[in-house]
Amino acid sequence: MDKRRQKLEELHKLQKDNERMDLTTFNKLTANFSYSDSALLWFQLNLNQIVTSEELAQIHGKNTGQPISHNIRRIFELRDEKGYDLINHKTKKSNLKVDEWMLLDENPNEEKIRERGVNKRIRMAVFERDDYTCQVCGLSQGDDDPYKEGRKITLHVGHITAHKRKNESEPISHKKLDVDDFVTMCNVCNEGLKNNDFKIITLKDRVEKAPEEEQRLIYEFLKNKFD
């Protein structure tokens, strides 16, 4: 039996019937666990009960005695990358309010796991394929950020098909991802496209939108190349 499972049994024994354990006690008992494991324990301890974002924000990180920043990101990871059946107000027919969560099953479901798939190999292959250029706006690494004076553009690897959905009822693919599932985007476009599918802009699309003078130059180049 793993340590988290042992800890869950211990917590169940300490929790009084129909009475929620206070978070101060919970944090002391789970001090040696990471935030993600502690948050999962809190959900499992309160299975099929509403857990609020305020409660989740009070759970401590490992051996810190303090809450962590960006804690909700860890909750999404439990759902999307670990496969736990966590629902919130965006889940169809959940009847939950904003900032309310609920775990429906103590165990993860492998079919719900969404493989992010981004690693160093894929990142470099995508950047090289796209010539280190944002495929939405055409900006490159080091160009000026058009919205933040004095800041430079940074490049990201974005999902062509959204990793998460704004509408929780919409299905997503669970296949293992590779280079062809990603595209280079600058920080501005990556943020703007968040949770939406990306429409691939092909070279043909770019030529069609180019000024006529540039189109003629391309035509002459291709004509000479293939004649």
Side-chain angles (χ1 to χ4, degrees), residues 17 24 27 104 112 124 133 137 140 143 145 148 173 190 195 210 222-223:
D17 292 341
T24 300
N27 279 325
L104 302 182
K112 291 182 176 290
M124 292 307 300
T133 301
C137 68
S140 299
D143 287 343
D145 188 320
K148 294 182 180 179
S173 170
N190 186 50
N195 296 343
L222 294 175
K223 183 181 178 181

Side-chain angles (χ1 to χ4, degrees), residues 24-223:
T24 300
T25 300
F26 176 82
N27 279 325
K28 289 180 180 178
L29 293 170
T30 58
N32 292 326
F33 287 83
S34 67
Y35 176 86
S36 294
D37 281 341
S38 294
L40 178 57
L41 284 166
W42 185 250
F43 276 117
Q44 292 172 325
L45 189 61
N46 299 289
L47 190 67
N48 290 308
Q49 298 180 41
I50 292 174
V51 171
T52 66
S53 294
E54 183 179 356
E55 291 175 74
L56 296 171
Q58 295 178 52
I59 294 174
H60 293 174
K62 185 176 181 179
N63 296 324
T64 64
Q66 298 291 331
I68 70 168
S69 59
H70 308 298
N71 66 297
I72 294 300
R73 183 181 301 173
R74 305 283 86 82
I75 306 305
F76 282 119
E77 288 173 357
L78 287 173
R79 184 192 68 180
D80 299 334
E81 300 177 25
K82 302 296 184 182
Y84 284 95
D85 198 359
L86 281 162
I87 62 173
N88 61 14
H89 71 284
K90 292 184 178 181
T91 308
K92 191 176 182 180
K93 298 181 179 179
S94 72
N95 295 319
L96 294 175
K97 298 177 181 177
V98 175
D99 292 330
E100 290 183 344
W101 296 80
M102 185 181 293
L103 178 65
L104 302 182
D105 192 325
E106 188 174 291
N107 299 307
N109 181 349
E110 290 187 2
E111 293 183 358
K112 291 182 176 290
I113 294 175
R114 165 71 164 170
E115 177 61 52
R116 293 190 68 88
V118 184
N119 55 41
K120 289 182 179 179
R121 176 187 67 81
I122 288 177
R123 180 176 288 106
M124 292 307 300
V126 171
F127 284 161
E128 289 179 6
R129 180 199 65 200
D130 295 338
D131 197 26
Y132 293 86
T133 301
C134 175
Q135 298 302 290
V136 180
C137 68
L139 290 175
S140 299
Q141 184 86 17
D143 287 343
D144 292 332
D145 188 320
Y147 297 101
K148 294 182 180 179
E149 187 175 352
R151 295 282 295 274
K152 298 294 184 181
I153 285 295
T154 57
L155 294 180
H156 299 261
V157 173
H159 293 79
I160 291 175
T161 300
H163 172 62
K164 295 185 288 188
R165 296 292 194 191
K166 289 181 177 179
N167 183 347
E168 297 287 339
S169 65
E170 292 182 18
I172 58 175
S173 170
H174 294 277
K175 77 180 183 74
K176 186 173 180 62
L177 303 179
D178 208 341
V179 175
D180 291 340
D181 296 295
F182 298 96
V183 68
T184 302
M185 286 189 278
C186 69
N187 55 291
V188 177
C189 294
N190 186 50
E191 182 64 27
L193 197 67
K194 196 172 185 179
N195 296 343
N196 286 304
D197 292 347
F198 174 77
K199 182 183 181 301
I200 298 177
I201 302 172
T202 66
L203 179 59
K204 180 174 177 290
D205 293 329
R206 295 181 182 277
V207 172
E208 287 177 346
K209 293 181 179 180
E212 183 176 342
E213 184 178 350
E214 290 185 16
Q215 290 177 336
R216 289 185 179 278
L217 288 173
I218 294 170
Y219 169 75
E220 292 297 331
F221 169 78
L222 294 175
K223 183 181 178 181

